[in-house]
PDB file of all heavy atoms in Angstrom:
ATOM      1  N   HIS C 297       5.147 -24.934  -9.107  1.00 98.00           N
ATOM      2  CA  HIS C 297       3.839 -25.488  -9.452  1.00 98.00           C
ATOM      3  C   HIS C 297       3.928 -27.012  -9.552  1.00 98.00           C
ATOM      4  O   HIS C 297       5.023 -27.572  -9.458  1.00 98.00           O
ATOM      5  CB  HIS C 297       3.356 -24.914 -10.786  1.00 98.00           C
ATOM      6  CG  HIS C 297       2.970 -23.456 -10.694  1.00 98.00           C
ATOM      7  ND1 HIS C 297       2.699 -22.693 -11.804  1.00 98.00           N
ATOM      8  CD2 HIS C 297       2.818 -22.623  -9.639  1.00 98.00           C
ATOM      9  CE1 HIS C 297       2.383 -21.451 -11.424  1.00 98.00           C
ATOM     10  NE2 HIS C 297       2.461 -21.396 -10.119  1.00 98.00           N
ATOM     11  N   GLY C 298       2.770 -27.632  -9.751  1.00 98.00           N
ATOM     12  CA  GLY C 298       2.729 -29.085  -9.881  1.00 98.00           C
ATOM     13  C   GLY C 298       1.965 -29.531 -11.113  1.00 98.00           C
ATOM     14  O   GLY C 298       1.212 -28.765 -11.705  1.00 98.00           O
ATOM     15  N   ARG C 299       2.214 -30.834 -11.490  1.00 98.00           N
ATOM     16  CA  ARG C 299       1.513 -31.503 -12.609  1.00 98.00           C
ATOM     17  C   ARG C 299       1.887 -30.888 -13.979  1.00 98.00           C
ATOM     18  O   ARG C 299       3.021 -30.679 -14.244  1.00 98.00           O
ATOM     19  CB  ARG C 299      -0.008 -31.491 -12.406  1.00 98.00           C
ATOM     20  CG  ARG C 299      -0.461 -31.739 -10.940  1.00 98.00           C
ATOM     21  CD  ARG C 299      -0.418 -33.171 -10.514  1.00 98.00           C
ATOM     22  NE  ARG C 299      -1.117 -33.364  -9.253  1.00 98.00           N
ATOM     23  CZ  ARG C 299      -0.522 -33.583  -8.064  1.00 98.00           C
ATOM     24  NH1 ARG C 299       0.790 -33.652  -7.991  1.00 98.00           N
ATOM     25  NH2 ARG C 299      -1.246 -33.774  -6.978  1.00 98.00           N
ATOM     26  N   ASP C 300       0.901 -30.591 -14.814  1.00 98.00           N
ATOM     27  CA  ASP C 300       1.082 -30.051 -16.165  1.00 98.00           C
ATOM     28  C   ASP C 300       1.683 -31.072 -17.134  1.00 98.00           C
ATOM     29  O   ASP C 300       2.804 -30.919 -17.609  1.00 98.00           O
ATOM     30  CB  ASP C 300       1.907 -28.755 -16.145  1.00 98.00           C
ATOM     31  CG  ASP C 300       1.627 -27.892 -17.387  1.00 98.00           C
ATOM     32  OD1 ASP C 300       1.045 -28.417 -18.366  1.00 98.00           O
ATOM     33  OD2 ASP C 300       1.992 -26.705 -17.379  1.00 98.00           O
ATOM     34  N   HIS C 301       0.914 -32.133 -17.380  1.00 98.00           N
ATOM     35  CA  HIS C 301       1.302 -33.157 -18.350  1.00 98.00           C
ATOM     36  C   HIS C 301       0.280 -33.208 -19.486  1.00 98.00           C
ATOM     37  O   HIS C 301      -0.901 -32.989 -19.263  1.00 98.00           O
ATOM     38  CB  HIS C 301       1.274 -34.548 -17.712  1.00 98.00           C
ATOM     39  CG  HIS C 301       2.428 -34.854 -16.824  1.00 98.00           C
ATOM     40  ND1 HIS C 301       2.742 -36.130 -16.455  1.00 98.00           N
ATOM     41  CD2 HIS C 301       3.348 -34.061 -16.234  1.00 98.00           C
ATOM     42  CE1 HIS C 301       3.798 -36.118 -15.655  1.00 98.00           C
ATOM     43  NE2 HIS C 301       4.173 -34.864 -15.498  1.00 98.00           N
ATOM     44  N   VAL C 302       0.768 -33.569 -20.650  1.00 98.00           N
ATOM     45  CA  VAL C 302      -0.101 -33.927 -21.773  1.00 98.00           C
ATOM     46  C   VAL C 302       0.327 -35.318 -22.212  1.00 98.00           C
ATOM     47  O   VAL C 302       1.513 -35.527 -22.484  1.00 98.00           O
ATOM     48  CB  VAL C 302       0.076 -32.957 -22.954  1.00 98.00           C
ATOM     49  CG1 VAL C 302      -0.871 -33.330 -24.087  1.00 98.00           C
ATOM     50  CG2 VAL C 302      -0.143 -31.523 -22.519  1.00 98.00           C
ATOM     51  N   SER C 303      -0.622 -36.263 -22.279  1.00 98.00           N
ATOM     52  CA  SER C 303      -0.243 -37.641 -22.585  1.00 98.00           C
ATOM     53  C   SER C 303      -1.178 -38.261 -23.612  1.00 98.00           C
ATOM     54  O   SER C 303      -2.381 -37.983 -23.621  1.00 98.00           O
ATOM     55  CB  SER C 303      -0.276 -38.511 -21.322  1.00 98.00           C
ATOM     56  OG  SER C 303       0.601 -38.015 -20.351  1.00 98.00           O
ATOM     57  N   LYS C 304      -0.581 -39.139 -24.430  1.00 98.00           N
ATOM     58  CA  LYS C 304      -1.371 -39.982 -25.321  1.00 98.00           C
ATOM     59  C   LYS C 304      -1.223 -41.418 -24.840  1.00 98.00           C
ATOM     60  O   LYS C 304      -0.117 -41.864 -24.537  1.00 98.00           O
ATOM     61  CB  LYS C 304      -0.870 -39.856 -26.756  1.00 98.00           C
ATOM     62  CG  LYS C 304      -1.210 -38.503 -27.363  1.00 98.00           C
ATOM     63  CD  LYS C 304      -0.951 -38.484 -28.853  1.00 98.00           C
ATOM     64  CE  LYS C 304      -1.536 -37.227 -29.454  1.00 98.00           C
ATOM     65  NZ  LYS C 304      -0.544 -36.404 -30.125  1.00 98.00           N
ATOM     66  N   VAL C 305      -2.346 -42.112 -24.771  1.00 98.00           N
ATOM     67  CA  VAL C 305      -2.359 -43.441 -24.149  1.00 98.00           C
ATOM     68  C   VAL C 305      -2.992 -44.449 -25.092  1.00 98.00           C
ATOM     69  O   VAL C 305      -4.005 -44.157 -25.736  1.00 98.00           O
ATOM     70  CB  VAL C 305      -3.203 -43.414 -22.847  1.00 98.00           C
ATOM     71  CG1 VAL C 305      -3.087 -44.741 -22.109  1.00 98.00           C
ATOM     72  CG2 VAL C 305      -2.794 -42.258 -21.957  1.00 98.00           C
ATOM     73  N   LYS C 306      -2.376 -45.621 -25.140  1.00 98.00           N
ATOM     74  CA  LYS C 306      -3.030 -46.771 -25.791  1.00 98.00           C
ATOM     75  C   LYS C 306      -2.980 -47.932 -24.826  1.00 98.00           C
ATOM     76  O   LYS C 306      -1.914 -48.261 -24.305  1.00 98.00           O
ATOM     77  CB  LYS C 306      -2.287 -47.166 -27.068  1.00 98.00           C
ATOM     78  CG  LYS C 306      -2.550 -46.260 -28.250  1.00 98.00           C
ATOM     79  CD  LYS C 306      -1.869 -46.807 -29.493  1.00 98.00           C
ATOM     80  CE  LYS C 306      -1.984 -45.793 -30.621  1.00 98.00           C
ATOM     81  NZ  LYS C 306      -1.255 -46.209 -31.814  1.00 98.00           N
ATOM     82  N   MET C 307      -4.122 -48.553 -24.586  1.00 98.00           N
ATOM     83  CA  MET C 307      -4.177 -49.721 -23.715  1.00 98.00           C
ATOM     84  C   MET C 307      -4.782 -50.872 -24.506  1.00 98.00           C
ATOM     85  O   MET C 307      -5.863 -50.736 -25.071  1.00 98.00           O
ATOM     86  CB  MET C 307      -5.008 -49.431 -22.461  1.00 98.00           C
ATOM     87  CG  MET C 307      -4.962 -50.538 -21.424  1.00 98.00           C
ATOM     88  SD  MET C 307      -5.996 -50.144 -19.991  1.00 98.00           S
ATOM     89  CE  MET C 307      -4.827 -49.348 -18.927  1.00 98.00           C
ATOM     90  N   ALA C 308      -4.028 -51.983 -24.567  1.00 98.00           N
ATOM     91  CA  ALA C 308      -4.470 -53.129 -25.377  1.00 98.00           C
ATOM     92  C   ALA C 308      -5.060 -54.214 -24.486  1.00 98.00           C
ATOM     93  O   ALA C 308      -4.575 -54.440 -23.372  1.00 98.00           O
ATOM     94  CB  ALA C 308      -3.288 -53.685 -26.160  1.00 98.00           C
TER      95      ALA C 308
END
Side-chain angles (χ1 to χ4, degrees):
Chain C
H297 289 170
R299 320 282 192 254
D300 203 345
H301 283 197
V302 182
S303 301
K304 289 191 170 121
V305 187
K306 283 185 188 175
M307 187 181 268

